C-alpha cells in the first residue's frame, strides 16, 4: 500500500550504528542485542527487534509517535506501524531506496571482511587443530531440517500454513511420495483434468502436483529458503480471491488448500500410481469418499437440536477438517485495549474454556428458529455440539477476528494452551454411543502453531512455530530459527495443530512409510 506517513516520519538513509561504528558493524537490537529480525527506524536510524522477537522496534514507535516507519534490515521491506501494512511508495527524495542501497553496500563490505578473516583464521589454526595437546571446542548448533519460504509479497499466510502442514509427517510423507503428474500424457492426469474441464476449471492446473514439488524442495535441505512461485501462481489461477499481494487469512487459505487436495485426490482413487513398490497405493475407501486429507484431518460432529415447546430432538452428523472456536466474551481484548501491555496484565483464557464453550448448550436466536417436526412450525430451541469422532490431527482455529460495525476487529486475548497431554475425552460422546467410532487414544500433543502479528485480518504478519524431532523451530518466511518450548507457550495462537498420540490410519489407505522416523513408523503400524 502507499503510506501517507512517509513525509513526516522518514528522515534517515543509514542505520545509526553505521554512523558510529567501524565496518564490520552488527545489525542488532539496541535494547536486547539480538541479531534476529532487525528493523531500522527511518526517523532516527535506531535498530530494534521485530514484534515476533521481543518487539523493541514496536515499543520504540509506541514511545515516539512519529517514529512509525521502519525497514527490515534483512529483506529491505518497509513497514508502517500506524497503517499496520507494508509500504510500496517512497519519499520525494528517495529515502527508502537510499537506505536499501546503503544496507546492500554495508552488507557487501561486511561479507568481504568476513571472508578475509575466515581465510586468515583457517590458515593460522590448521596446525592448532592437529595439536593433540590443545582441547577442541565443540560448536553446538541446531540446524533446521527444512528450508524457509521466501515472501513473494504478503505471502506469509501461505508460508505459515505450508510449514505447519509440511511438518505433519504422515501427511507430508504421503504427498511427497505421490508420482509426478508433470507429464501431460500421464493417464491419471488426463482423468483429473478431464473432470476439471467439465466443471469449467483450467484443465492444466493440478494443485496436488505443485504442492508435491514444493514439499520435496522444502525437505531437500540444500537451501536456506526456497521460492514457492509456481504454487502461488496455481493458487492465483484457481482462486481469484487470493490473487494480488494483499494480506490473506491463513485459516481461509488452509481450508481451501485441504478441500482442493481432497477433491483432486478423489480422482486418483481408482488407480495405482506406478509399478514401483515404494510408491503409495490408493484404493477406494468406504463410500469412495476418503483420501489422506480426511484420514489425517477428518473428524465427525454431532449436532443436537431440541424444541423447547414439545421436546422433539433432532440429530445431525457433519464431517469437519478443523474446529473454529469462539473466545468467550469475558476474555475479549482488542488490539487497542492491549496496546503496550504484556500478557500478565491481561485476563488469561484457557483452551479448555474455548472447547467447553464450543460444546455447551445454547439457545438459538430469533432469526434461527428451528422447524420442529413435532409442532409442524418454527419454534424456540436449543442446540449443542458433540464431537462424535476425533481426527488423527486436530486442527483448532481460534476466532480472533470479529465484526465491529463495518470492519473486522482482532482479539488480542492470550489463550493458554497445553504443549502436551491435551485430553479430548470430555468433549466427545459417551463411549457406548460411539462404539467403534473412536480410533486410538484421545490424548493429543502440539505439533504446530500459526500466529498472526498485527491488528487486522487484512494486514499484519503470519509466522509458525513447528515441532520437529523434539526441537521447536520458528518459521518466519525465509528465516528458520530454533526456539524453546517456553517461547511457543507464550505466543498468541491463531491456529493450533495437535497430533493424536496413537495415530492409526484406515486399513483401506495404505501409506508408504519410507522416510518417516522409526517412532512415526511404529505409531502408524501399532
Amino acid at each position: 500500500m502507499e503510506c501517507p506517513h512517509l513525509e513526516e516520519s522518514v528522515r534517515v538513509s543509514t542505520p545509526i550504528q553505521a554512523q558510529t561504528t567501524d565496518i564490520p558493524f552488527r545489525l542488532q537490537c539496541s535494547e536486547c542485542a539480538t541479531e534476529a529480525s532487525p528493523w531500522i527506524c527511518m526517523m532516527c536510524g535506531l535498530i530494534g527487534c521485530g514484534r515476533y522477537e521481543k518487539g523493541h522496534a514496536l515499543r520504540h514507535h509506541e514511545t515516539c509517535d512519529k517514529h512509525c516507519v521502519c525497514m527490515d534490515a534483512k529483506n529491505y521491506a518497509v513497514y508502517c506501524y500506524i497503517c499496520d501494512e507494508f509500504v510500496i511508495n517512497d519519499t520525494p527524495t528517495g529515502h527508502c531506496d537510499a537506505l536499501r542501497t546503503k544496507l546492500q553496500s554495508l552488507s557487501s563490505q561486511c561479507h568481504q571482511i568476513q571472508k578475509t578473516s575466515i581465510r586468515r583464521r583457517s590458515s593460522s589454526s590448521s596446525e592448532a587443530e592437529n595439536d593433540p595437546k590443545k582441547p577442541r571446542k565443540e560448536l553446538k548448533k541446531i540446524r533446521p531440517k527444512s528450508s524457509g519460504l521466501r515472501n513473494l509479497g504478503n505471502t506469509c499466510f501461505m508460508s505459515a500454513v505450508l510449514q505447519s502442514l509440511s511438518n505433519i509427517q504422515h501427511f507430508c510423507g504421503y504427498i511427497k511420495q505421490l508420482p509426478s503428474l508433470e507429464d501431460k500424457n500421464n493417464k491419471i492426469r488426463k482423468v483429473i483434468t478431464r473432470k476439471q474441464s467439465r466443471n469449467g476449471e483450467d484443465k492444466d492446473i493440478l494443485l496436488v502436483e505443485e504442492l508435491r514439488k514444493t514439499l520435496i524442495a522444502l525437505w531437500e535441505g540444500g537451501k536456506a529458503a526456497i521460492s514457492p512461485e509456481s504454487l502461488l501462481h496455481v493458487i492465483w489461477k484457481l482462486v481469484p480471491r487470493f490473487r494480488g499481494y494483499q494480506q490473506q487469512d491463513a485459516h481461509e487459505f488452509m481450508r481451501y488448500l485441504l478441500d482442493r487436495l481432497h477433491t483432486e485426490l478423489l480422482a486418483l482413487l481408482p488407480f495405482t500410481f506406478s509399478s514401483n513398490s515404494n510408491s503409495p497405493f490408493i484404493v477406494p475407501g468406504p463410500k469412495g469418499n476418503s483420501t489422506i486429507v480426511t484420514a489425517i484431518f477428518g473428524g465427525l460432529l454431532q449436532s443436537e437440536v431440541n424444541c423447547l415447546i414439545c421436546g422433539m430432538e433432532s440429530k445431525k452428523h457433519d464431517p469437519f477438517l478443523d474446529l473454529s472456536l469462539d473466545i468467550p466474551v469475558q476474555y475479549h481484548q482488542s488490539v487497542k485495549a492491549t496496546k503496550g501491555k504484556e500478557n500478565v496484565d491481561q485476563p488469561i483464557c484457557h483452551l479448555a474454556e474455548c472447547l467447553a464453550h464450543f460444546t455447551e448448550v445454547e439457545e438459538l436466536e430469533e432469526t434461527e428458529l428451528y422447524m420442529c417436526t413435532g409442532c409442524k412450525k418454527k419454534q424456540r430451541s436449543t442446540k449443542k455440539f458433540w464431537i462424535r469422532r476425533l481426527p488423527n490431527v486436530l486442527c483448532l482455529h481460534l476466532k480472533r477476528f470479529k465484526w465491529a460495525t463495518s470492519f473486522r476487529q482482532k482479539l488480542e486475548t492470550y489463550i493458554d494452551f497445553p504443549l502436551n497431554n491435551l485430553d479430548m475425552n470430555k468433549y466427545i460422546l459417551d463411549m457406548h454411543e460411539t462404539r467403534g467410532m473412536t480410533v486410538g487414544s484421545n490424548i493429543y500433543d502440539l505439533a504446530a502453531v500459526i500466529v498472526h502479528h498485527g491488528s487486522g485480518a487484512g494486514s499484519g504478519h503470519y509466522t509458525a512455530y513447528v515441532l520437529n524431532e523434539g526441537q521447536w523451530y520458528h518459521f518466519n518466511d525465509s528465516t528458520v530459527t530454533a526456539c524453546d518450548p517456553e517461547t511457543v507457550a507464550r505466543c498468541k495462537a491463531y491456529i493450533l495443530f495437535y497430533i493424536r498420540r496413537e495415530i492409526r490410519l484406515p486399513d483401506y489407505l495404505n501409506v508408504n512409510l519410507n522416510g518417516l522416523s522409526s517412532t512415526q513408523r511404529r505409531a502408524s503400524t501399532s
Side-chain angles (χ1 to χ4, degrees), residues 486-514:
E486 290 74 21
T487 301
V488 179
R490 289 196 302 268
C491 75
K492 292 181 178 179
Y494 182 47
I495 304 175
L496 297 157
F497 296 86
Y498 282 94
I499 295 183
R500 178 185 261 149
R501 207 166 269 184
E502 297 178 14
I503 289 183
R504 291 185 181 179
L505 296 175
D507 293 336
Y508 59 83
L509 194 59
N510 179 24
V511 177
N512 189 320
L513 297 178
N514 289 346

Short mmCIF file of all heavy atoms in Angstrom, two decimals, residues 486-514:
data_model
loop_
_atom_site.label_atom_id
_atom_site.label_comp_id
_atom_site.label_asym_id
_atom_site.label_seq_id
_atom_site.Cartn_x
_atom_site.Cartn_y
_atom_site.Cartn_z
N GLU A 486 9.11 -22.66 25.95
CA GLU A 486 8.53 -21.52 26.67
C GLU A 486 8.13 -20.41 25.72
O GLU A 486 7.10 -19.74 25.90
CB GLU A 486 9.53 -21.00 27.72
CG GLU A 486 9.77 -21.92 28.90
CD GLU A 486 10.64 -23.13 28.54
OE1 GLU A 486 11.37 -23.05 27.51
OE2 GLU A 486 10.58 -24.14 29.26
N THR A 487 8.94 -20.19 24.67
CA THR A 487 8.61 -19.17 23.67
C THR A 487 7.33 -19.53 22.95
O THR A 487 6.46 -18.68 22.70
CB THR A 487 9.76 -19.02 22.66
OG1 THR A 487 10.95 -18.64 23.35
CG2 THR A 487 9.43 -17.97 21.61
N VAL A 488 7.18 -20.81 22.61
CA VAL A 488 5.97 -21.27 21.93
C VAL A 488 4.74 -21.08 22.83
O VAL A 488 3.70 -20.60 22.38
CB VAL A 488 6.10 -22.75 21.53
CG1 VAL A 488 4.84 -23.25 20.83
CG2 VAL A 488 7.32 -22.96 20.63
N ALA A 489 4.88 -21.44 24.09
CA ALA A 489 3.75 -21.36 25.03
C ALA A 489 3.29 -19.92 25.25
O ALA A 489 2.12 -19.69 25.59
CB ALA A 489 4.14 -21.99 26.36
N ARG A 490 4.18 -18.94 25.04
CA ARG A 490 3.83 -17.53 25.26
C ARG A 490 3.16 -16.88 24.06
O ARG A 490 2.63 -15.77 24.17
CB ARG A 490 5.08 -16.73 25.64
CG ARG A 490 5.64 -17.02 27.01
CD ARG A 490 6.61 -15.93 27.44
NE ARG A 490 7.71 -15.78 26.49
CZ ARG A 490 8.88 -16.41 26.59
NH1 ARG A 490 9.08 -17.25 27.60
NH2 ARG A 490 9.83 -16.22 25.71
N CYS A 491 3.19 -17.53 22.90
CA CYS A 491 2.67 -16.88 21.70
C CYS A 491 1.14 -16.81 21.72
O CYS A 491 0.48 -17.61 22.39
CB CYS A 491 3.15 -17.60 20.44
SG CYS A 491 2.32 -19.18 20.11
N LYS A 492 0.60 -15.85 21.00
CA LYS A 492 -0.86 -15.70 20.89
C LYS A 492 -1.33 -16.47 19.67
O LYS A 492 -1.37 -15.96 18.55
CB LYS A 492 -1.23 -14.22 20.80
CG LYS A 492 -0.95 -13.47 22.10
CD LYS A 492 -1.35 -12.01 22.01
CE LYS A 492 -1.08 -11.31 23.35
NZ LYS A 492 -1.44 -9.87 23.30
N ALA A 493 -1.70 -17.72 19.91
CA ALA A 493 -2.00 -18.66 18.83
C ALA A 493 -3.24 -18.24 18.04
O ALA A 493 -4.20 -17.70 18.59
CB ALA A 493 -2.22 -20.05 19.42
N TYR A 494 -3.19 -18.53 16.75
CA TYR A 494 -4.34 -18.34 15.86
C TYR A 494 -4.87 -19.69 15.37
O TYR A 494 -6.07 -19.93 15.38
CB TYR A 494 -3.94 -17.46 14.67
CG TYR A 494 -5.08 -17.17 13.71
CD1 TYR A 494 -6.32 -16.75 14.17
CD2 TYR A 494 -4.90 -17.31 12.34
CE1 TYR A 494 -7.36 -16.48 13.30
CE2 TYR A 494 -5.93 -17.04 11.45
CZ TYR A 494 -7.16 -16.62 11.93
OH TYR A 494 -8.20 -16.36 11.06
N ILE A 495 -3.96 -20.59 14.98
CA ILE A 495 -4.34 -21.95 14.58
C ILE A 495 -3.41 -22.93 15.29
O ILE A 495 -2.19 -22.75 15.28
CB ILE A 495 -4.24 -22.16 13.06
CG1 ILE A 495 -5.08 -21.12 12.31
CG2 ILE A 495 -4.68 -23.56 12.67
CD1 ILE A 495 -4.94 -21.18 10.80
N LEU A 496 -3.98 -23.96 15.91
CA LEU A 496 -3.21 -24.97 16.64
C LEU A 496 -3.38 -26.32 15.96
O LEU A 496 -4.49 -26.71 15.60
CB LEU A 496 -3.69 -25.07 18.09
CG LEU A 496 -3.52 -23.82 18.96
CD1 LEU A 496 -4.50 -23.87 20.13
CD2 LEU A 496 -2.09 -23.72 19.49
N PHE A 497 -2.28 -27.05 15.79
CA PHE A 497 -2.31 -28.40 15.22
C PHE A 497 -1.87 -29.39 16.30
O PHE A 497 -0.71 -29.36 16.72
CB PHE A 497 -1.38 -28.51 14.02
CG PHE A 497 -1.77 -27.64 12.85
CD1 PHE A 497 -1.34 -26.32 12.78
CD2 PHE A 497 -2.55 -28.13 11.82
CE1 PHE A 497 -1.68 -25.51 11.71
CE2 PHE A 497 -2.90 -27.34 10.74
CZ PHE A 497 -2.47 -26.02 10.69
N TYR A 498 -2.79 -30.25 16.72
CA TYR A 498 -2.48 -31.28 17.72
C TYR A 498 -2.51 -32.65 17.05
O TYR A 498 -3.44 -32.96 16.30
CB TYR A 498 -3.49 -31.25 18.86
CG TYR A 498 -3.27 -30.16 19.88
CD1 TYR A 498 -3.92 -28.94 19.76
CD2 TYR A 498 -2.41 -30.34 20.95
CE1 TYR A 498 -3.73 -27.92 20.69
CE2 TYR A 498 -2.20 -29.34 21.90
CZ TYR A 498 -2.87 -28.13 21.76
OH TYR A 498 -2.68 -27.14 22.69
N ILE A 499 -1.50 -33.47 17.33
CA ILE A 499 -1.43 -34.82 16.76
C ILE A 499 -1.80 -35.85 17.83
O ILE A 499 -1.29 -35.80 18.95
CB ILE A 499 -0.02 -35.13 16.22
CG1 ILE A 499 0.30 -34.21 15.05
CG2 ILE A 499 0.10 -36.58 15.78
CD1 ILE A 499 1.64 -34.48 14.39
N ARG A 500 -2.70 -36.75 17.44
CA ARG A 500 -3.10 -37.82 18.35
C ARG A 500 -1.89 -38.69 18.68
O ARG A 500 -1.08 -39.02 17.83
CB ARG A 500 -4.20 -38.67 17.70
CG ARG A 500 -4.64 -39.83 18.54
CD ARG A 500 -5.64 -40.68 17.78
NE ARG A 500 -7.00 -40.36 18.17
CZ ARG A 500 -8.04 -40.44 17.37
NH1 ARG A 500 -7.88 -40.78 16.12
NH2 ARG A 500 -9.25 -40.15 17.80
N ARG A 501 -1.78 -39.04 19.94
CA ARG A 501 -0.62 -39.79 20.38
C ARG A 501 -0.55 -41.18 19.73
O ARG A 501 0.53 -41.70 19.50
CB ARG A 501 -0.66 -39.92 21.91
CG ARG A 501 0.69 -40.08 22.54
CD ARG A 501 0.62 -39.85 24.02
NE ARG A 501 0.85 -38.47 24.39
CZ ARG A 501 0.90 -38.05 25.65
NH1 ARG A 501 0.73 -38.91 26.63
NH2 ARG A 501 1.13 -36.78 25.91
N GLU A 502 -1.70 -41.75 19.42
CA GLU A 502 -1.75 -43.06 18.76
C GLU A 502 -2.45 -42.91 17.41
O GLU A 502 -3.65 -43.07 17.31
CB GLU A 502 -2.50 -44.08 19.64
CG GLU A 502 -1.84 -44.36 20.98
CD GLU A 502 -2.64 -45.33 21.82
OE1 GLU A 502 -3.56 -45.97 21.26
OE2 GLU A 502 -2.37 -45.43 23.02
N ILE A 503 -1.66 -42.57 16.41
CA ILE A 503 -2.22 -42.41 15.07
C ILE A 503 -2.46 -43.77 14.44
O ILE A 503 -1.57 -44.62 14.44
CB ILE A 503 -1.28 -41.58 14.18
CG1 ILE A 503 -1.28 -40.11 14.64
CG2 ILE A 503 -1.68 -41.67 12.71
CD1 ILE A 503 -0.44 -39.20 13.78
N ARG A 504 -3.66 -43.96 13.91
CA ARG A 504 -3.98 -45.18 13.17
C ARG A 504 -4.76 -44.80 11.93
O ARG A 504 -5.89 -44.31 12.03
CB ARG A 504 -4.80 -46.14 14.05
CG ARG A 504 -3.99 -46.74 15.20
CD ARG A 504 -4.80 -47.77 15.95
NE ARG A 504 -4.05 -48.34 17.06
CZ ARG A 504 -4.54 -49.26 17.89
NH1 ARG A 504 -5.78 -49.70 17.71
NH2 ARG A 504 -3.81 -49.72 18.88
N LEU A 505 -4.17 -45.02 10.80
CA LEU A 505 -4.83 -44.72 9.55
C LEU A 505 -5.72 -45.89 9.14
O LEU A 505 -5.43 -47.03 9.48
CB LEU A 505 -3.80 -44.43 8.45
CG LEU A 505 -2.94 -43.19 8.70
CD1 LEU A 505 -1.87 -43.06 7.64
CD2 LEU A 505 -3.79 -41.93 8.74
N PRO A 506 -6.77 -45.62 8.39
CA PRO A 506 -7.68 -46.69 7.96
C PRO A 506 -6.96 -47.76 7.14
O PRO A 506 -5.99 -47.48 6.43
CB PRO A 506 -8.72 -45.96 7.11
CG PRO A 506 -8.64 -44.53 7.55
CD PRO A 506 -7.23 -44.30 7.94
N ASP A 507 -7.46 -48.99 7.23
CA ASP A 507 -6.83 -50.10 6.51
C ASP A 507 -6.86 -49.89 5.00
O ASP A 507 -5.97 -50.34 4.29
CB ASP A 507 -7.54 -51.42 6.85
CG ASP A 507 -7.33 -51.81 8.31
OD1 ASP A 507 -6.33 -51.35 8.89
OD2 ASP A 507 -8.18 -52.55 8.84
N TYR A 508 -7.91 -49.22 4.51
CA TYR A 508 -8.04 -49.07 3.06
C TYR A 508 -7.08 -48.03 2.50
O TYR A 508 -6.98 -47.85 1.30
CB TYR A 508 -9.47 -48.70 2.67
CG TYR A 508 -9.98 -47.42 3.31
CD1 TYR A 508 -9.68 -46.18 2.76
CD2 TYR A 508 -10.77 -47.47 4.45
CE1 TYR A 508 -10.13 -45.02 3.34
CE2 TYR A 508 -11.24 -46.31 5.03
CZ TYR A 508 -10.92 -45.08 4.47
OH TYR A 508 -11.39 -43.93 5.05
N LEU A 509 -6.40 -47.26 3.39
CA LEU A 509 -5.46 -46.26 2.93
C LEU A 509 -4.06 -46.70 3.30
O LEU A 509 -3.61 -46.53 4.42
CB LEU A 509 -5.78 -44.91 3.57
CG LEU A 509 -5.12 -43.69 2.95
CD1 LEU A 509 -5.50 -43.56 1.48
CD2 LEU A 509 -5.53 -42.45 3.70
N ASN A 510 -3.37 -47.31 2.36
CA ASN A 510 -2.05 -47.86 2.60
C ASN A 510 -1.01 -46.79 2.35
O ASN A 510 -0.72 -46.43 1.22
CB ASN A 510 -1.80 -49.05 1.67
CG ASN A 510 -0.42 -49.64 1.87
OD1 ASN A 510 0.16 -49.49 2.94
ND2 ASN A 510 0.10 -50.30 0.85
N VAL A 511 -0.43 -46.23 3.44
CA VAL A 511 0.53 -45.14 3.31
C VAL A 511 1.94 -45.69 3.35
O VAL A 511 2.31 -46.45 4.24
CB VAL A 511 0.34 -44.11 4.45
CG1 VAL A 511 1.38 -43.03 4.35
CG2 VAL A 511 -1.05 -43.52 4.39
N ASN A 512 2.74 -45.31 2.39
CA ASN A 512 4.14 -45.70 2.35
C ASN A 512 4.88 -45.00 3.48
O ASN A 512 4.83 -43.78 3.59
CB ASN A 512 4.74 -45.28 1.00
CG ASN A 512 6.14 -45.84 0.80
OD1 ASN A 512 6.93 -45.87 1.72
ND2 ASN A 512 6.42 -46.25 -0.42
N LEU A 513 5.55 -45.76 4.31
CA LEU A 513 6.20 -45.17 5.48
C LEU A 513 7.68 -44.89 5.27
O LEU A 513 8.37 -44.52 6.22
CB LEU A 513 6.02 -46.11 6.69
CG LEU A 513 4.57 -46.34 7.13
CD1 LEU A 513 4.52 -47.31 8.29
CD2 LEU A 513 3.91 -45.04 7.48
N ASN A 514 8.18 -45.08 4.07
CA ASN A 514 9.58 -44.75 3.81
C ASN A 514 9.81 -43.28 4.09
O ASN A 514 9.05 -42.43 3.68
CB ASN A 514 9.95 -45.05 2.36
CG ASN A 514 10.00 -46.54 2.09
OD1 ASN A 514 10.02 -47.33 3.02
ND2 ASN A 514 10.01 -46.91 0.82
#
